[in-house]
Amino acid sequence: MIAPARLNPTTRGDALLQMESDVVDVVVIGGGVTGAGVALDAVTRGLSVALVEARDLASGTSSRSSKLIHGGLRYLEQLNIALVSEALRERALLLDTLCPHLVRPVPFLFPLTHRGWERAYVGTGMVLYDTLGGARRAVPRHRHLTRRAALRAVPALRPDALVGAIQYWDAQVDDARHTMFVARTAAHYGALIATSARVTGLLREGDRVAGVRVHDLEGGGQIDVRARQTINAAGVWTDDIQAMAGGRGQLSVRPSKGIHLLVPRDRIHATTGLILRTESSVLFVIPWGSHWIVGTTDTDWNLDLAHPAASSADIDYLLTHVNRVLRTPLTTDDITGVYAGLRPLLSGESEDSSQLSREHAVVSPLPGLTMVAGGKYTTYRVMARDAVDAVAHGLNRSVPPSCTDRVPLLGADGYPALWNAREALARSAGIHVARVEHLLTRYGTLTQEVLALVRQRPELARPVRGADTYLAAEAVYAASHEGALHLDDVLTRRTRISIETWDRGLEAAADVAELVAPELGWDRQTIDVEIGHYQARVAAERESQQQADDQTADAARLGAPDVRTGGRSLLGRSEPARS
C-alpha cells in the first residue's frame, strides 16, 4: 500500500495538471464532508476521481456543525425512525471501525421538569434510541437519575430547574478535521484533490454534462476537467450549480443558520453535557476540551452563503435559553468564540426551517450530472454511497458496490495499540504524555508523522504562541500534509485557535504565519498580507456580532473579503467565493 497521502501546494499543482490532461470517471464539486465522502466512495470502487473545492476543505457547513455524531433525538420524536436508525448505525461504524481516533462517546443529561409522565415519555424514547443503536454497544445505555444525582453530575444547574434527569450517550467529532481526513484518505487511494479551485461552468457534449470548468484561485487561469460523470455535492450552493445546468434541477435547498458559542470549561461546573428543550428545537451544551459549545439556533438565511454571520440577537437567544437552567448565568463577557454555519435543508412544505427534513436526496437532472443534497453530517457516508450508486449506471462498466463501511480513515489502523503505548511514545519524543494524548485524538497513528517533525526540528516541540494547546509542529504539518494553503485554514479548520482563544487567534496568527511560510513558499509581503486578512476577518466577525439583525450582521461580516478572492490580487475583486 502506498504511504499516507500528503495534501500541500505541490500535490495540489500536480492534481490540477492531471485533471487537465486526463478524463476521469467522476468529478466531484464540493469539498465538504459529503463531497469528500463521494470521492472516497468512488475511488475505493476502482473509479478515477477528481474533487474540486472553491475554498478550503470543510470551509462551509462541514466545519461549523454542532460537532456531534448522533441519531437525533428530535427526529425520533418526529417519528422519523428510519433516519434515526440509519444515523445510529453510522455512529457505531465511525466509533468502532472508521475513525476511532476522531470520534468519541460523549454523555448528555436531559433534565426533566415534570413529574411522572415526562420520565416515562422520555425514558421510552431513550429505550428506543438505545435499541436502534444496535446490540453491539458503541456507547453506554441511558440511565435514570434523581434530582440529587443529576445535581451532583451538573452542580451548575439550578435546583428548581429540574425534578430529575435522564443521562444518555452520543458521540462527537472535530468536523473539519474529520472532513480533511476523509479527503486525505481519498487521496491515499488515488483521488485527485484540489482546493481553491472554483467551478465556473459545466462542460457539455450536446445535452450531456461532460465535466466542469475550473478557475484556479491560487495560480490564476482556468482548466477544463473532463469527466464521464459529474457529482454536485456543493451543499448550500446546490442551486448555483443547478443554474449552470440551465436552471434544470429537481432539488431546492433552503439554508438554515445555526450559531454556536464557546465558553471556558470553568464557567459551567459539570461532568456531562446537557440537552435542553426550547420552544422550537433543542439546545446543547457540549464538552469541547477546555471549553463548552453552546448551540444551536435554527433560522432561515438568504444572505451571503460563504460567511454567514452571527448577530447579537442570535447570541442573546442562546444565552437566554441556557441561563434559564444555570445557577450562575453566562454573559457575553464569558464568550471565547462564536461560529455560524448553514444547514443545507431540503425545502419542504413547512415554513419553519427547524421542521424541514434532514433526509437526503439524489437526483440526475441531466445526463452526466448527479446532485446530492440534504442529509446530516452523521450520514455523510450513506449520502456518498447513494450518489455513487446513481452515477455507476452511466459508466458503461461494472462498478463494485460501496466498501467504505470497511475502509478505515487514515490514522485509524493500529490506533488502540498506539494509544496504549502513549507513555512510551511521550518518553521517546521528549514531550509530556498529555501532549501525546492530544496528538493521538487529532491524528491517530499519523501522530508518528507529527513527532517525526519534532525529532527533525526540536524547536517545533514548543507551543504555538498565544495558543498553547497546539504544538508548533502541528502548524507546519497542516501546511505540509493536510492541505492548508492560507493562514485562515490553519487557525480555523486544521486547529480551532480562532474560536478557542480569547483574542480569536490574533496573537497566534503571526507565529503560525512564520511557521507555515517555508512550506507554502511565502515571502515577507505574503506573510503580512495573510496576517492582515486574518486580522480583518476577526474584526469583521466581532463587528457583525454586535449587530441587531441578520442584514446588518451580514453587511459587517462582508467588510473582510475572502482571502482566496481578495488576497494577492488573484481575481481583482472582493466578492466571496462560491463552492
Side-chain angles (χ1 to χ4, degrees), residues 383-442:
M383 296 172 65
R385 179 197 67 197
D386 291 351
V388 179
D389 283 347
V391 304
H393 301 297
L395 286 173
N396 298 319
R397 56 182 279 198
S398 176
V399 177
S402 175
C403 63
T404 51
D405 59 336
R406 304 183 303 280
V407 177
L409 300 188
L410 294 180
D413 279 338
Y415 170 69
L418 198 61
W419 176 264
N420 291 340
R422 61 193 183 278
E423 292 186 0
L425 194 60
R427 285 194 298 271
S428 67
I431 61 177
H432 195 278
V433 68
R435 291 284 187 188
V436 172
E437 290 175 352
H438 159 88
L439 294 174
L440 286 168
T441 58
R442 287 170 46 77

Side-chain angles (χ1 to χ4, degrees), residues 362-397:
V362 178
V363 300
S364 298
L366 289 171
L369 175 64
T370 294
M371 299 192 174
V372 55
K376 58 202 294 282
Y377 195 103
T378 303
T379 57
Y380 80 92
R381 194 194 64 82
V382 177
M383 296 172 65
R385 179 197 67 197
D386 291 351
V388 179
D389 283 347
V391 304
H393 301 297
L395 286 173
N396 298 319
R397 56 182 279 198

Side-chain angles (χ1 to χ4, degrees), residues 70-156:
H70 65 137
L73 280 176
R74 69 168 171 162
Y75 310 123
L76 190 61
E77 192 169 27
Q78 295 167 4
L79 300 181
N80 198 336
I81 306 298
L83 176 63
V84 175
S85 180
E86 179 180 78
L88 290 175
R89 286 195 300 271
E90 293 303 306
R91 184 189 71 179
L93 265 177
L94 290 162
L95 280 165
D96 292 341
T97 304
L98 302 185
C99 49
H101 55 308
L102 302 174
V103 179
R104 56 196 57 86
V106 60
F108 289 99
L109 192 80
F110 187 103
L112 302 173
T113 57
H114 299 86
R115 298 187 184 279
W117 70 265
E118 190 181 21
R119 187 179 289 277
Y121 175 73
V122 177
T124 300
M126 294 295 185
V127 170
L128 180 57
Y129 199 66
D130 284 343
T131 302
L132 293 173
R136 185 169 178 267
R137 300 296 301 163
V139 300
R141 293 186 178 275
H142 79 281
R143 61 184 185 131
H144 287 259
L145 299 178
T146 63
R147 183 173 71 166
R148 181 176 296 179
L151 290 173
R152 282 199 299 270
V154 189

Side-chain angles (χ1 to χ4, degrees), residues 40-59:
L40 178 58
D41 190 280
V43 76
T44 53
R45 297 196 201 195
L47 303 178
S48 57
V49 179
L51 180 148
V52 290
E53 158 60 40
R55 293 182 293 149
D56 185 26
L57 296 170
S59 58

